[in-house]
Amino acid sequence: MHKVSTGFIYFFGALGGLLFGYDTGVISGAILFIQKQMHLGAWQQGWVVSSVLLGAILGAAIIGPSSDRYGRRKLLLLSAVIFLIGALGSAFSPEFWSLIIFRVILGMAVGAASALIPTYLAELAPADKRGTVASLFQLMVMSGILLAYITNYSFSGLYTGWRWMLGFATIPAALLFFGGLILPESPRFLVKSGRVDEAREVLDTMNGHNSTIVNREIRQIKEQAGVVSGGWPELFSKMVRPSLTIGVGLAIFQQVMGCNTVLYYAPTIFTDVGFGVSAALLAHIGIGIFNVIVTAVAVTIMDKIDRKKMLIIGSVGMGISLFVMSMGMKFSGGSQTAAIISVIALTVYIAFFSATWGPVMWVMIGEVFPLNIRGLGNSFASVINWTANMIVSLTFPSLLDFFGTGSLFIGYGVLCFLSIWFVHKMVFETRNRSLEDIEATLREKAGEEDVPGLSTAQK
């Protein structure tokens, strides 16, 4: 293994999240210019925006499971190349269909990153730091979204500004590729591939040269790696059912609570309550900065508070914020006070999401699946997450027309409170537990009827 610092490994391991955030966030500004220059109708605009989501579903479905066979690092390098091709192709697209094709290719890299990076970071990090390390992915996503907002604002004065907005992603894509060349392979994958000495080297670096921890981890990983690589039958087996329930449930709830509609449509929401367009774009950058700060705070506390507790606190805060925002929007037409209340409530909602459901969902889907199907399980949860994202994003404008802003966000608020029941009943705690301990408990409990929970002490 190359002698590189753990900080370097964690930074470049999570860097794909920056591209994930940038490429999903940049289109909110670029589409304003693309529609004028390409003379796009509403249907075509919708596809330019959502084609990345379609690509993400494909990328998570195809590239994610391949990491169980070829390794996390190789597929991370492949996703960097796809990011590069997608960004360049989008920037130089002469017409609608070529733009759609390259946006789908870009989306494949985004989906691959969402399936690969939480698994890779979770497998590298020591148990007592895993939450902090794995949540770096979400911090990078939020930083990417902020970078997209700033880039949109910076290039908005140019006639071909949208090409620069989309093409700017080539810089972090190239960084990810060259940084990825020096990254180590996941120690779990190395042991599974029979490369125990290499795995020992990686674990030695990641655990501060503590031979006791390294020897224990190698022994535990060897036990789990002895299990034959699984596929779809094992993913849907009784043993994995608790993990699959958590992965699918958290992936769906993270989207149906309205997070991306609020993030993507924040400028629209600001203009609806009386802000000018320029003020709305600047407020959007402000929200992006706030998002990054709150996510950074969440990263520092991730291993100090139970994951379940963070999810439940987040659901309560988001639900109440959405109800307040809805009431403010109903009255914002004739009242500046109501408009200000709406904006404050929106900001509080984003704070709760960025501190809890944003990072915790990605952390947990990287933790809960057994080693022999971890890539497949994480990929499946990512596909569900992107599918839910696409459905929510595509239906939002129609639902907005039908229900109105105020009533629609009440619906999202109700789903926030429904998620509390799901977390309480279906999610087991993973904080401060090794990946091998979580898997061993799943295997022990597979023959008992009280799954999907674990033992009473671990619930």
Side-chain angles (χ1 to χ4, degrees), residues 298-346:
V299 168
T300 63
I301 64 170
M302 188 63 67
D303 287 309
K304 297 181 176 69
I305 302 173
D306 286 351
R307 316 266 198 261
K308 286 181 68 170
K309 194 175 289 183
M310 288 183 76
L311 290 171
I312 289 170
I313 290 169
S315 295
V316 172
M318 288 159 68
I320 292 171
S321 302
L322 285 174
F323 286 153
V324 173
M325 189 168 82
S326 296
M327 290 301 104
M329 283 178 171
K330 281 184 181 293
F331 300 106
S332 61
S335 165
Q336 191 176 4
T337 305
I340 292 168
I341 288 170
S342 296
V343 171
I344 292 169
L346 179 142

mmCIF file of all heavy atoms in Angstrom, residues 298-346:
data_model
loop_
_atom_site.group_PDB
_atom_site.id
_atom_site.type_symbol
_atom_site.label_atom_id
_atom_site.label_comp_id
_atom_site.label_asym_id
_atom_site.label_seq_id
_atom_site.Cartn_x
_atom_site.Cartn_y
_atom_site.Cartn_z
ATOM 1 N N ALA A 298 -22.897 17.861 11.884
ATOM 2 C CA ALA A 298 -23.411 16.485 11.978
ATOM 3 C C ALA A 298 -22.283 15.466 11.900
ATOM 4 O O ALA A 298 -22.283 14.454 12.614
ATOM 5 C CB ALA A 298 -24.427 16.223 10.865
ATOM 6 N N VAL A 299 -21.289 15.738 11.047
ATOM 7 C CA VAL A 299 -20.138 14.823 10.906
ATOM 8 C C VAL A 299 -19.414 14.685 12.243
ATOM 9 O O VAL A 299 -19.025 13.579 12.639
ATOM 10 C CB VAL A 299 -19.168 15.339 9.812
ATOM 11 C CG1 VAL A 299 -17.845 14.594 9.845
ATOM 12 C CG2 VAL A 299 -19.808 15.189 8.435
ATOM 13 N N THR A 300 -19.273 15.797 12.968
ATOM 14 C CA THR A 300 -18.527 15.763 14.233
ATOM 15 C C THR A 300 -19.279 15.037 15.352
ATOM 16 O O THR A 300 -18.657 14.518 16.274
ATOM 17 C CB THR A 300 -18.178 17.182 14.716
ATOM 18 O OG1 THR A 300 -19.392 17.901 14.992
ATOM 19 C CG2 THR A 300 -17.380 17.941 13.674
ATOM 20 N N ILE A 301 -20.620 14.991 15.273
ATOM 21 C CA ILE A 301 -21.390 14.339 16.349
ATOM 22 C C ILE A 301 -21.892 12.942 15.972
ATOM 23 O O ILE A 301 -22.510 12.262 16.782
ATOM 24 C CB ILE A 301 -22.597 15.210 16.786
ATOM 25 C CG1 ILE A 301 -23.601 15.373 15.634
ATOM 26 C CG2 ILE A 301 -22.150 16.553 17.325
ATOM 27 C CD1 ILE A 301 -24.917 16.005 16.043
ATOM 28 N N MET A 302 -21.599 12.516 14.729
ATOM 29 C CA MET A 302 -22.179 11.274 14.216
ATOM 30 C C MET A 302 -21.880 10.062 15.094
ATOM 31 O O MET A 302 -22.703 9.170 15.232
ATOM 32 C CB MET A 302 -21.685 11.028 12.787
ATOM 33 C CG MET A 302 -22.345 9.873 12.061
ATOM 34 S SD MET A 302 -24.103 10.112 11.804
ATOM 35 C CE MET A 302 -24.109 11.477 10.670
ATOM 36 N N ASP A 303 -20.692 10.003 15.701
ATOM 37 C CA ASP A 303 -20.333 8.847 16.522
ATOM 38 C C ASP A 303 -20.553 9.087 18.007
ATOM 39 O O ASP A 303 -20.136 8.282 18.839
ATOM 40 C CB ASP A 303 -18.877 8.447 16.248
ATOM 41 C CG ASP A 303 -18.741 7.782 14.878
ATOM 42 O OD1 ASP A 303 -19.505 6.838 14.601
ATOM 43 O OD2 ASP A 303 -17.898 8.232 14.078
ATOM 44 N N LYS A 304 -21.211 10.195 18.337
ATOM 45 C CA LYS A 304 -21.501 10.496 19.746
ATOM 46 C C LYS A 304 -22.978 10.275 20.079
ATOM 47 O O LYS A 304 -23.342 10.169 21.251
ATOM 48 C CB LYS A 304 -21.111 11.941 20.073
ATOM 49 C CG LYS A 304 -19.609 12.219 19.929
ATOM 50 C CD LYS A 304 -19.294 13.668 20.292
ATOM 51 C CE LYS A 304 -17.792 13.943 20.241
ATOM 52 N NZ LYS A 304 -17.231 13.923 18.903
ATOM 53 N N ILE A 305 -23.846 10.248 19.063
ATOM 54 C CA ILE A 305 -25.292 10.076 19.268
ATOM 55 C C ILE A 305 -25.757 8.871 18.462
ATOM 56 O O ILE A 305 -25.330 8.681 17.319
ATOM 57 C CB ILE A 305 -26.071 11.338 18.812
ATOM 58 C CG1 ILE A 305 -25.575 12.576 19.568
ATOM 59 C CG2 ILE A 305 -27.574 11.165 19.024
ATOM 60 C CD1 ILE A 305 -26.171 13.879 19.070
ATOM 61 N N ASP A 306 -26.648 8.060 19.038
ATOM 62 C CA ASP A 306 -27.162 6.885 18.324
ATOM 63 C C ASP A 306 -27.807 7.291 17.002
ATOM 64 O O ASP A 306 -28.478 8.322 16.908
ATOM 65 C CB ASP A 306 -28.202 6.147 19.184
ATOM 66 C CG ASP A 306 -27.551 5.368 20.318
ATOM 67 O OD1 ASP A 306 -26.307 5.260 20.322
ATOM 68 O OD2 ASP A 306 -28.288 4.869 21.190
ATOM 69 N N ARG A 307 -27.629 6.456 15.999
ATOM 70 C CA ARG A 307 -28.187 6.748 14.674
ATOM 71 C C ARG A 307 -29.723 6.865 14.739
ATOM 72 O O ARG A 307 -30.311 7.755 14.132
ATOM 73 C CB ARG A 307 -27.852 5.627 13.685
ATOM 74 C CG ARG A 307 -26.410 5.125 13.739
ATOM 75 C CD ARG A 307 -25.522 5.814 12.752
ATOM 76 N NE ARG A 307 -24.315 5.063 12.527
ATOM 77 C CZ ARG A 307 -23.123 5.310 13.091
ATOM 78 N NH1 ARG A 307 -22.984 6.322 13.931
ATOM 79 N NH2 ARG A 307 -22.074 4.564 12.811
ATOM 80 N N LYS A 308 -30.363 5.938 15.461
ATOM 81 C CA LYS A 308 -31.837 5.956 15.549
ATOM 82 C C LYS A 308 -32.330 7.263 16.163
ATOM 83 O O LYS A 308 -33.302 7.858 15.706
ATOM 84 C CB LYS A 308 -32.346 4.763 16.378
ATOM 85 C CG LYS A 308 -32.264 3.430 15.668
ATOM 86 C CD LYS A 308 -32.809 2.300 16.520
ATOM 87 C CE LYS A 308 -34.305 2.383 16.733
ATOM 88 N NZ LYS A 308 -34.862 1.167 17.354
ATOM 89 N N LYS A 309 -31.647 7.700 17.215
ATOM 90 C CA LYS A 309 -32.044 8.937 17.898
ATOM 91 C C LYS A 309 -31.935 10.125 16.945
ATOM 92 O O LYS A 309 -32.812 10.987 16.898
ATOM 93 C CB LYS A 309 -31.154 9.146 19.132
ATOM 94 C CG LYS A 309 -31.671 10.186 20.098
ATOM 95 C CD LYS A 309 -30.819 10.252 21.364
ATOM 96 C CE LYS A 309 -31.008 9.037 22.252
ATOM 97 N NZ LYS A 309 -30.238 9.150 23.506
ATOM 98 N N MET A 310 -30.852 10.160 16.154
ATOM 99 C CA MET A 310 -30.668 11.256 15.197
ATOM 100 C C MET A 310 -31.787 11.266 14.156
ATOM 101 O O MET A 310 -32.318 12.326 13.810
ATOM 102 C CB MET A 310 -29.309 11.124 14.500
ATOM 103 C CG MET A 310 -28.128 11.460 15.401
ATOM 104 S SD MET A 310 -26.530 11.398 14.538
ATOM 105 C CE MET A 310 -26.587 12.935 13.599
ATOM 106 N N LEU A 311 -32.156 10.085 13.663
ATOM 107 C CA LEU A 311 -33.223 10.004 12.654
ATOM 108 C C LEU A 311 -34.560 10.492 13.219
ATOM 109 O O LEU A 311 -35.296 11.231 12.562
ATOM 110 C CB LEU A 311 -33.361 8.561 12.148
ATOM 111 C CG LEU A 311 -32.215 8.034 11.273
ATOM 112 C CD1 LEU A 311 -32.376 6.540 11.033
ATOM 113 C CD2 LEU A 311 -32.139 8.779 9.941
ATOM 114 N N ILE A 312 -34.874 10.069 14.449
ATOM 115 C CA ILE A 312 -36.160 10.448 15.059
ATOM 116 C C ILE A 312 -36.204 11.955 15.341
ATOM 117 O O ILE A 312 -37.195 12.635 15.050
ATOM 118 C CB ILE A 312 -36.418 9.624 16.345
ATOM 119 C CG1 ILE A 312 -36.726 8.164 15.964
ATOM 120 C CG2 ILE A 312 -37.582 10.215 17.152
ATOM 121 C CD1 ILE A 312 -36.757 7.191 17.120
ATOM 122 N N ILE A 313 -35.108 12.512 15.885
ATOM 123 C CA ILE A 313 -35.039 13.962 16.125
ATOM 124 C C ILE A 313 -35.220 14.714 14.800
ATOM 125 O O ILE A 313 -35.952 15.703 14.716
ATOM 126 C CB ILE A 313 -33.693 14.346 16.784
ATOM 127 C CG1 ILE A 313 -33.637 13.828 18.224
ATOM 128 C CG2 ILE A 313 -33.478 15.865 16.758
ATOM 129 C CD1 ILE A 313 -32.263 13.911 18.874
ATOM 130 N N GLY A 314 -34.558 14.213 13.747
ATOM 131 C CA GLY A 314 -34.672 14.835 12.431
ATOM 132 C C GLY A 314 -36.092 14.822 11.903
ATOM 133 O O GLY A 314 -36.585 15.830 11.373
ATOM 134 N N SER A 315 -36.775 13.694 12.051
ATOM 135 C CA SER A 315 -38.154 13.568 11.567
ATOM 136 C C SER A 315 -39.088 14.552 12.267
ATOM 137 O O SER A 315 -39.924 15.191 11.625
ATOM 138 C CB SER A 315 -38.662 12.134 11.787
ATOM 139 O OG SER A 315 -37.924 11.224 11.012
ATOM 140 N N VAL A 316 -38.935 14.659 13.585
ATOM 141 C CA VAL A 316 -39.783 15.588 14.357
ATOM 142 C C VAL A 316 -39.525 17.025 13.911
ATOM 143 O O VAL A 316 -40.462 17.780 13.620
ATOM 144 C CB VAL A 316 -39.518 15.438 15.879
ATOM 145 C CG1 VAL A 316 -40.242 16.531 16.657
ATOM 146 C CG2 VAL A 316 -39.956 14.064 16.363
ATOM 147 N N GLY A 317 -38.250 17.413 13.828
ATOM 148 C CA GLY A 317 -37.898 18.778 13.436
ATOM 149 C C GLY A 317 -38.355 19.118 12.030
ATOM 150 O O GLY A 317 -38.886 20.212 11.775
ATOM 151 N N MET A 318 -38.161 18.172 11.084
ATOM 152 C CA MET A 318 -38.567 18.410 9.699
ATOM 153 C C MET A 318 -40.078 18.497 9.575
ATOM 154 O O MET A 318 -40.614 19.349 8.861
ATOM 155 C CB MET A 318 -38.028 17.280 8.805
ATOM 156 C CG MET A 318 -36.527 17.347 8.590
ATOM 157 S SD MET A 318 -35.826 15.751 8.082
ATOM 158 C CE MET A 318 -36.536 15.585 6.449
ATOM 159 N N GLY A 319 -40.799 17.606 10.270
ATOM 160 C CA GLY A 319 -42.262 17.593 10.209
ATOM 161 C C GLY A 319 -42.865 18.901 10.710
ATOM 162 O O GLY A 319 -43.718 19.515 10.045
ATOM 163 N N ILE A 320 -42.390 19.357 11.880
ATOM 164 C CA ILE A 320 -42.898 20.614 12.451
ATOM 165 C C ILE A 320 -42.564 21.794 11.522
ATOM 166 O O ILE A 320 -43.405 22.661 11.269
ATOM 167 C CB ILE A 320 -42.316 20.847 13.867
ATOM 168 C CG1 ILE A 320 -42.871 19.802 14.841
ATOM 169 C CG2 ILE A 320 -42.639 22.258 14.364
ATOM 170 C CD1 ILE A 320 -42.205 19.791 16.207
ATOM 171 N N SER A 321 -41.325 21.808 10.984
ATOM 172 C CA SER A 321 -40.906 22.898 10.082
ATOM 173 C C SER A 321 -41.795 22.969 8.844
ATOM 174 O O SER A 321 -42.176 24.060 8.400
ATOM 175 C CB SER A 321 -39.452 22.699 9.636
ATOM 176 O OG SER A 321 -38.591 22.640 10.737
ATOM 177 N N LEU A 322 -42.121 21.794 8.280
ATOM 178 C CA LEU A 322 -42.969 21.772 7.083
ATOM 179 C C LEU A 322 -44.376 22.279 7.375
ATOM 180 O O LEU A 322 -44.972 22.995 6.568
ATOM 181 C CB LEU A 322 -43.024 20.352 6.501
ATOM 182 C CG LEU A 322 -41.771 19.889 5.759
ATOM 183 C CD1 LEU A 322 -41.895 18.422 5.365
ATOM 184 C CD2 LEU A 322 -41.506 20.732 4.509
ATOM 185 N N PHE A 323 -44.923 21.930 8.547
ATOM 186 C CA PHE A 323 -46.260 22.415 8.914
ATOM 187 C C PHE A 323 -46.249 23.946 9.056
ATOM 188 O O PHE A 323 -47.151 24.631 8.570
ATOM 189 C CB PHE A 323 -46.735 21.771 10.222
ATOM 190 C CG PHE A 323 -47.148 20.330 10.071
ATOM 191 C CD1 PHE A 323 -47.080 19.452 11.135
ATOM 192 C CD2 PHE A 323 -47.614 19.837 8.856
ATOM 193 C CE1 PHE A 323 -47.469 18.127 10.999
ATOM 194 C CE2 PHE A 323 -48.007 18.516 8.702
ATOM 195 C CZ PHE A 323 -47.924 17.658 9.777
ATOM 196 N N VAL A 324 -45.201 24.471 9.729
ATOM 197 C CA VAL A 324 -45.094 25.925 9.915
ATOM 198 C C VAL A 324 -44.913 26.612 8.562
ATOM 199 O O VAL A 324 -45.547 27.639 8.268
ATOM 200 C CB VAL A 324 -43.918 26.271 10.865
ATOM 201 C CG1 VAL A 324 -43.692 27.787 10.913
ATOM 202 C CG2 VAL A 324 -44.186 25.735 12.272
ATOM 203 N N MET A 325 -44.057 26.029 7.702
ATOM 204 C CA MET A 325 -43.810 26.599 6.371
ATOM 205 C C MET A 325 -45.095 26.618 5.551
ATOM 206 O O MET A 325 -45.394 27.600 4.857
ATOM 207 C CB MET A 325 -42.734 25.780 5.646
ATOM 208 C CG MET A 325 -42.259 26.407 4.345
ATOM 209 S SD MET A 325 -40.776 25.617 3.720
ATOM 210 C CE MET A 325 -41.466 24.203 2.897
ATOM 211 N N SER A 326 -45.868 25.551 5.635
ATOM 212 C CA SER A 326 -47.130 25.473 4.895
ATOM 213 C C SER A 326 -48.099 26.566 5.325
ATOM 214 O O SER A 326 -48.725 27.225 4.495
ATOM 215 C CB SER A 326 -47.784 24.111 5.107
ATOM 216 O OG SER A 326 -46.968 23.096 4.583
ATOM 217 N N MET A 327 -48.214 26.757 6.642
ATOM 218 C CA MET A 327 -49.109 27.796 7.157
ATOM 219 C C MET A 327 -48.639 29.180 6.703
ATOM 220 O O MET A 327 -49.436 30.024 6.293
ATOM 221 C CB MET A 327 -49.144 27.747 8.696
ATOM 222 C CG MET A 327 -49.848 26.532 9.279
ATOM 223 S SD MET A 327 -51.585 26.410 8.748
ATOM 224 C CE MET A 327 -51.489 25.097 7.533
ATOM 225 N N GLY A 328 -47.326 29.408 6.761
ATOM 226 C CA GLY A 328 -46.776 30.690 6.330
ATOM 227 C C GLY A 328 -47.056 30.955 4.863
ATOM 228 O O GLY A 328 -47.397 32.080 4.472
ATOM 229 N N MET A 329 -46.938 29.908 4.030
ATOM 230 C CA MET A 329 -47.162 30.062 2.588
ATOM 231 C C MET A 329 -48.624 30.365 2.270
ATOM 232 O O MET A 329 -48.928 31.088 1.324
ATOM 233 C CB MET A 329 -46.722 28.798 1.849
ATOM 234 C CG MET A 329 -45.206 28.719 1.708
ATOM 235 S SD MET A 329 -44.696 27.218 0.892
ATOM 236 C CE MET A 329 -42.950 27.570 0.645
ATOM 237 N N LYS A 330 -49.516 29.795 3.051
ATOM 238 C CA LYS A 330 -50.950 30.038 2.817
ATOM 239 C C LYS A 330 -51.300 31.518 2.985
ATOM 240 O O LYS A 330 -52.199 32.035 2.336
ATOM 241 C CB LYS A 330 -51.788 29.188 3.785
ATOM 242 C CG LYS A 330 -51.925 27.724 3.346
ATOM 243 C CD LYS A 330 -52.837 26.963 4.300
ATOM 244 C CE LYS A 330 -52.968 25.507 3.918
ATOM 245 N NZ LYS A 330 -53.666 25.299 2.646
ATOM 246 N N PHE A 331 -50.555 32.184 3.889
ATOM 247 C CA PHE A 331 -50.871 33.581 4.184
ATOM 248 C C PHE A 331 -49.829 34.563 3.657
ATOM 249 O O PHE A 331 -49.920 35.766 3.886
ATOM 250 C CB PHE A 331 -51.031 33.781 5.701
ATOM 251 C CG PHE A 331 -52.127 32.947 6.302
ATOM 252 C CD1 PHE A 331 -51.823 31.825 7.071
ATOM 253 C CD2 PHE A 331 -53.459 33.245 6.064
ATOM 254 C CE1 PHE A 331 -52.824 31.034 7.610
ATOM 255 C CE2 PHE A 331 -54.474 32.461 6.606
ATOM 256 C CZ PHE A 331 -54.153 31.355 7.378
ATOM 257 N N SER A 332 -48.798 34.052 2.948
ATOM 258 C CA SER A 332 -47.673 34.913 2.561
ATOM 259 C C SER A 332 -48.059 35.961 1.508
ATOM 260 O O SER A 332 -47.407 36.995 1.403
ATOM 261 C CB SER A 332 -46.508 34.068 2.034
ATOM 262 O OG SER A 332 -46.917 33.341 0.878
ATOM 263 N N GLY A 333 -49.132 35.698 0.734
ATOM 264 C CA GLY A 333 -49.552 36.634 -0.310
ATOM 265 C C GLY A 333 -49.842 38.018 0.220
ATOM 266 O O GLY A 333 -49.512 39.021 -0.412
ATOM 267 N N GLY A 334 -50.449 38.100 1.395
ATOM 268 C CA GLY A 334 -50.824 39.423 1.909
ATOM 269 C C GLY A 334 -50.054 39.830 3.136
ATOM 270 O O GLY A 334 -50.386 40.828 3.762
ATOM 271 N N SER A 335 -49.035 39.058 3.517
ATOM 272 C CA SER A 335 -48.337 39.351 4.766
ATOM 273 C C SER A 335 -46.841 39.099 4.631
ATOM 274 O O SER A 335 -46.414 37.982 4.361
ATOM 275 C CB SER A 335 -48.904 38.481 5.900
ATOM 276 O OG SER A 335 -48.047 38.481 7.007
ATOM 277 N N GLN A 336 -46.057 40.158 4.834
ATOM 278 C CA GLN A 336 -44.595 40.003 4.783
ATOM 279 C C GLN A 336 -44.108 39.152 5.950
ATOM 280 O O GLN A 336 -43.157 38.369 5.811
ATOM 281 C CB GLN A 336 -43.934 41.384 4.814
ATOM 282 C CG GLN A 336 -42.438 41.296 4.504
ATOM 283 C CD GLN A 336 -41.787 42.661 4.444
ATOM 284 O OE1 GLN A 336 -42.421 43.673 4.699
ATOM 285 N NE2 GLN A 336 -40.507 42.683 4.121
ATOM 286 N N THR A 337 -44.766 39.276 7.099
ATOM 287 C CA THR A 337 -44.393 38.474 8.283
ATOM 288 C C THR A 337 -44.531 36.984 7.981
ATOM 289 O O THR A 337 -43.651 36.176 8.303
ATOM 290 C CB THR A 337 -45.286 38.847 9.492
ATOM 291 O OG1 THR A 337 -45.199 40.251 9.704
ATOM 292 C CG2 THR A 337 -44.847 38.097 10.738
ATOM 293 N N ALA A 338 -45.665 36.626 7.336
ATOM 294 C CA ALA A 338 -45.895 35.216 6.993
ATOM 295 C C ALA A 338 -44.830 34.715 6.014
ATOM 296 O O ALA A 338 -44.361 33.565 6.112
ATOM 297 C CB ALA A 338 -47.279 35.038 6.394
ATOM 298 N N ALA A 339 -44.427 35.588 5.080
ATOM 299 C CA ALA A 339 -43.377 35.212 4.111
ATOM 300 C C ALA A 339 -42.058 34.950 4.817
ATOM 301 O O ALA A 339 -41.358 33.970 4.519
ATOM 302 C CB ALA A 339 -43.211 36.321 3.072
ATOM 303 N N ILE A 340 -41.708 35.808 5.779
ATOM 304 C CA ILE A 340 -40.461 35.630 6.542
ATOM 305 C C ILE A 340 -40.515 34.347 7.364
ATOM 306 O O ILE A 340 -39.538 33.594 7.430
ATOM 307 C CB ILE A 340 -40.203 36.863 7.447
ATOM 308 C CG1 ILE A 340 -39.886 38.086 6.577
ATOM 309 C CG2 ILE A 340 -39.063 36.597 8.432
ATOM 310 C CD1 ILE A 340 -39.904 39.400 7.323
ATOM 311 N N ILE A 341 -41.681 34.077 7.968
ATOM 312 C CA ILE A 341 -41.850 32.837 8.745
ATOM 313 C C ILE A 341 -41.632 31.615 7.849
ATOM 314 O O ILE A 341 -40.983 30.634 8.243
ATOM 315 C CB ILE A 341 -43.250 32.799 9.407
ATOM 316 C CG1 ILE A 341 -43.311 33.806 10.563
ATOM 317 C CG2 ILE A 341 -43.580 31.392 9.918
ATOM 318 C CD1 ILE A 341 -44.698 34.027 11.126
ATOM 319 N N SER A 342 -42.141 31.674 6.612
ATOM 320 C CA SER A 342 -41.972 30.564 5.660
ATOM 321 C C SER A 342 -40.500 30.304 5.375
ATOM 322 O O SER A 342 -40.043 29.156 5.360
ATOM 323 C CB SER A 342 -42.678 30.869 4.334
ATOM 324 O OG SER A 342 -44.059 30.980 4.519
ATOM 325 N N VAL A 343 -39.756 31.376 5.148
ATOM 326 C CA VAL A 343 -38.331 31.247 4.824
ATOM 327 C C VAL A 343 -37.552 30.702 6.020
ATOM 328 O O VAL A 343 -36.679 29.839 5.881
ATOM 329 C CB VAL A 343 -37.756 32.606 4.361
ATOM 330 C CG1 VAL A 343 -36.241 32.544 4.243
ATOM 331 C CG2 VAL A 343 -38.388 33.006 3.036
ATOM 332 N N ILE A 344 -37.881 31.178 7.226
ATOM 333 C CA ILE A 344 -37.214 30.680 8.439
ATOM 334 C C ILE A 344 -37.512 29.186 8.627
ATOM 335 O O ILE A 344 -36.610 28.384 8.909
ATOM 336 C CB ILE A 344 -37.646 31.478 9.692
ATOM 337 C CG1 ILE A 344 -37.103 32.917 9.608
ATOM 338 C CG2 ILE A 344 -37.161 30.799 10.974
ATOM 339 C CD1 ILE A 344 -37.677 33.859 10.655
ATOM 340 N N ALA A 345 -38.788 28.823 8.431
ATOM 341 C CA ALA A 345 -39.183 27.417 8.582
ATOM 342 C C ALA A 345 -38.472 26.536 7.556
ATOM 343 O O ALA A 345 -38.032 25.423 7.862
ATOM 344 C CB ALA A 345 -40.695 27.269 8.442
ATOM 345 N N LEU A 346 -38.351 27.027 6.318
ATOM 346 C CA LEU A 346 -37.645 26.292 5.266
ATOM 347 C C LEU A 346 -36.180 26.074 5.670
ATOM 348 O O LEU A 346 -35.625 24.981 5.495
ATOM 349 C CB LEU A 346 -37.723 27.064 3.950
ATOM 350 C CG LEU A 346 -37.006 26.460 2.734
ATOM 351 C CD1 LEU A 346 -37.842 26.680 1.471
ATOM 352 C CD2 LEU A 346 -35.634 27.064 2.537
#
